[in-house]
Amino acid sequence: MNKKSLTEADIRTKFITPALVGPNGDKWNVMTQIREEAYFTKGRVIVRGKTVKRGEAKKADYLLYYKPNLPLAVIEGKDNNHAVGAGMQQALEYAEILDIPFAYSSNGDAFLEHDRTATGGTVTREIPLDQFPTPDELWARYRKAKGYTAEQETVAMQDYFDDGSGRVPHYYQTIAINRTVDAIASGQKRILLVMATGTGKTYTAFQIIWRLWKSKAKKRILFLVDRNILADQTKTNDFKPFGPAMTKITNRTVDKSFEIYLCLYQAVSGTEEAQNIYKQFSPDFFDLIAVDECHRGSADENAAWRQILEYYASATQIGLTATPKETEDVSNIEYFGEPIYTYSLKQGIADGFLAPYKVVRIGLDKDLDGWRPEAGQRDKLGQLIEDREYNDRDFDRNLILERRTAVVAAKVTEFLKATDRFSKTIIFCENIEHAERMRQAMVNANPDLAAANSKYVMRITGDNDEGKAQLDNFIDPEKTYPVIACTSQLMSTGVDAQTCRLIVLDKRISSMTEFKQIIGRGTRIREDYNKLFFTIMDFRRATALFADPNFDGDPVQIYEPRDEDSVVPPDEDSASSVVREEPSDVISDPPGPVPTKYYVNNVEVRVATERVQYLDEHGKLITESLKDYSRKTVRKAYASLDAFLTVWNDAEKKQAILEELAAKGVFLDELAEQVGRDYDAFDLVCHIAFDAPPLTRKERAEKVKKRNVFAKYGDKARAVLDALLQKYADSGITSVESLEILKVDPLTAHGTPVEIVKLFGGRDGYLAAIRDLETALYQEAA
């Protein structure tokens, strides 16, 4: 056997896998401990126009596990023409992403090891092929590096819950779970987990609690939430396996016979001491407390949440949030410490676990230019309007321009009619009154569907029982109604609207925490419902926060110093942030005289500007046209037309180049809509990127026929090539490269696929003829 002639896959199968399993099959178990070609991301969802594709997912050649969900090693294999360590850089990259202690590279001759747990001595060494460490050997090294006691090792090795469905945590959930369990096993008392909305915080919390509970490291556990729907969803979904050991505290009734308690913090606390029923439990009753959406209250040391946590100070406490709150007055980090793990919105989108978004920014003339009443002008209630210039800080607070609401409703409706009028939509308004006016405006803008079903548009706010009763139906993918929800604060956090495709911002947002939470309502991906991205329609320039360096960055602690605390700069938006974060869904007026509200129904409002932005492959919002973006992207990959032609002509399959461009966001189908459907992908790229005059597919096919380039083939083979040329003229090069083309008309007239291939002397001869055809087609490069 010539080892140098083997492919990478052959090297893995014939050399690496046998070395892992061992000659007697007594080393790594191929069924339970080895995952080969293990994909750990989904591939970014890339959206251009109506085209949606996934970019390339990340995969490791091998992932090795001591036990399920306890990964120990990553291995990257190369063919034998590479050095032993040629795959190490990639192995290390994956090991860092996956939080794996040992990285290896191999070319089938030996292994190169990198020990990420080593703090001194030998970090990298070469290992003979037959001496790869056993699972127990690697676990012993890892255990020693972690400094586990016997008790800590028992907790660290506790199995995850497995319902038999095959569901396993995503890689980032595994990291969050394992780091948290490790930290608690080693005695850490305050832990903060930051995970973007839609990444499964509750499921992650369940697996943490399950492992600690089953290992008896923690016996009585409290899961604290601030919305009743969150407690109910948790009990019936992720926490269901706890069964009879679990209860939800309701009606201010305490039963101390359970082990797992779900609780709405308002249900156990209040303004009166008698309402603080949490004190009916002794301070040391709970071993573990997990606080969901901890940015909402536990960050504030004066909040009722904090009082509960401080009462149970001896318990281990975990804070879970997508948006740690850091202002001059409140701080999650001050209380819980630095996050033990952060999985951001940006990373979730890059990995393909979260949905990307388009942004439609609409500027209304009165918002952009302001409005001043005429001298002596009165509103529709007869009130004299104060003479000053009003702007978007006033609109829908102390000045209501009724036609403005109608224009917003009209634009939202226009978008839905152009896409899907049954797309789940959330419209965020300034306050409850504005939400009701928006509901009426949306009903008037959609009289047909509103008449067909009164729940087509609903106001879902904290003060409206009818609307709140429909919240479960809104978030249920199986339920059609309600379709459009008008809200202000109630739905900004904790509402798992998995199929929401449109988020409308018609409220000023100055708090980064609130902004991230609202955007998070759309980030779920549901491929089974064809929901892969969502759209943000912004009427208030709220999406300017995307440009804020704090958007999706690491949280920075800013708090008001007390006593001898160090001094740090204050947060300019803290005042508005605190007001807007109240879960009551009511924005309070500031102290002092209540301003007069003016209702004006005779001032026309028009759309002044409108533009669409979308995410590039790096997650940055771009506003340039698809043509400009494609030109820049292609030129970044290929410095000149000659460079592109060289790669194109050398490519064994042109489809590979097209897929690579698509992964970078160059979608040729969308470009063809703008440039022309008769052009080949090759001509689209050359024309858009390098200004080369394009030829239609038909023109290229005719030029090949006139040159009689297939004279060396027999009559039957030439007939097949002529048919393939016609197929190229009809549908492009991708169809010609696929052997499946031999199963469709008019190719079937020339025989079965096997018979056609035989006309060229076999498969290799047929593929060589296809390459000849492609060379002839692209001989005309300009």
Side-chain angles (χ1 to χ4, degrees), residues 516-558:
K516 285 186 180 181
Q517 287 289 337
I518 286 176
I519 297 307
R521 300 313 102 208
T523 54
R524 270 75 170 180
I525 286 179
R526 284 297 300 263
E527 295 193 54
D528 50 340
Y529 287 91
N530 199 32
K531 192 278 176 91
L532 285 160
F533 72 97
F534 67 105
T535 301
I536 303 166
M537 185 174 282
D538 180 13
F539 290 90
R540 303 270 184 159
R541 301 192 296 282
T543 52
L545 287 169
F546 283 131
D548 190 306
N550 286 325
F551 181 73
D552 228 351
D554 295 329
V556 178
Q557 181 176 7
I558 303 176

Side-chain angles (χ1 to χ4, degrees), residues 189-190 283 289 308-317 335:
K189 302 289 286 184
R190 300 288 181 267
I289 299 177
I308 296 173
L309 295 183
E310 289 176 347
Y311 179 76
Y312 297 119
S314 64
T316 299
Q317 297 174 6
Y335 185 77

Side-chain angles (χ1 to χ4, degrees), residues 653-685:
K653 280 199 169 185
K654 316 305 182 192
Q655 178 64 17
I657 296 176
L658 303 182
E659 288 175 355
E660 183 180 329
L661 289 174
K664 297 178 182 297
V666 179
F667 288 170
L668 296 166
D669 286 345
E670 293 296 324
L671 286 172
E673 290 285 353
Q674 299 181 23
V675 179
R677 278 283 173 195
D678 296 331
Y679 296 115
D680 185 37
F682 171 84
D683 284 280
L684 287 172
V685 172

Side-chain angles (χ1 to χ4, degrees), residues 102 189 266 284 480 549 707 734:
F102 302 101
K189 302 289 286 184
Q266 296 97 323
D284 60 355
T480 302
R707 290 200 303 272
T734 301

Side-chain angles (χ1 to χ4, degrees), residues 105-165:
S105 172
S106 178
N107 64 352
D109 288 339
F111 290 96
L112 184 69
E113 176 188 82
H114 186 105
D115 183 350
R116 299 182 64 235
T117 69
T119 57
T122 303
V123 174
T124 300
R125 62 174 180 149
E126 189 169 305
I127 303 171
L129 197 65
D130 61 351
Q131 293 181 28
F132 190 85
T134 66
D136 286 337
E137 287 170 344
L138 282 189
W139 178 256
R141 289 162 60 186
Y142 179 67
R143 178 183 59 205
K144 181 179 179 181
K146 298 289 287 187
Y148 286 149
T149 64
E151 182 180 350
Q152 290 167 356
E153 185 178 8
T154 299
V155 178
M157 290 180 61
Q158 174 62 48
D159 291 337
Y160 281 57
F161 174 78
D162 184 354
D163 63 2
S165 69

Side-chain angles (χ1 to χ4, degrees), residues 558-600:
I558 303 176
Y559 65 100
E560 187 174 55
R562 296 175 177 84
D563 300 324
E564 297 181 359
D565 290 346
S566 61
V567 179
V568 293
D571 181 349
E572 293 179 357
D573 294 330
S574 59
S576 60
S577 300
V578 174
V579 173
R580 288 171 178 267
E581 287 296 325
E582 288 300 316
S584 65
D585 201 27
V586 178
I587 298 178
S588 305
D589 289 319
V594 177
T596 303
K597 278 189 178 179
Y598 303 111
Y599 296 82
V600 180

Side-chain angles (χ1 to χ4, degrees), residues 286-308:
F286 292 109
D287 304 307
L288 175 68
I289 299 177
V291 185
D292 195 25
E293 305 290 356
C294 70
H295 64 279
R296 295 190 61 82
S298 60
D300 184 351
E301 70 177 43
N302 296 315
W305 289 64
R306 184 66 74 88
Q307 294 171 25
I308 296 173

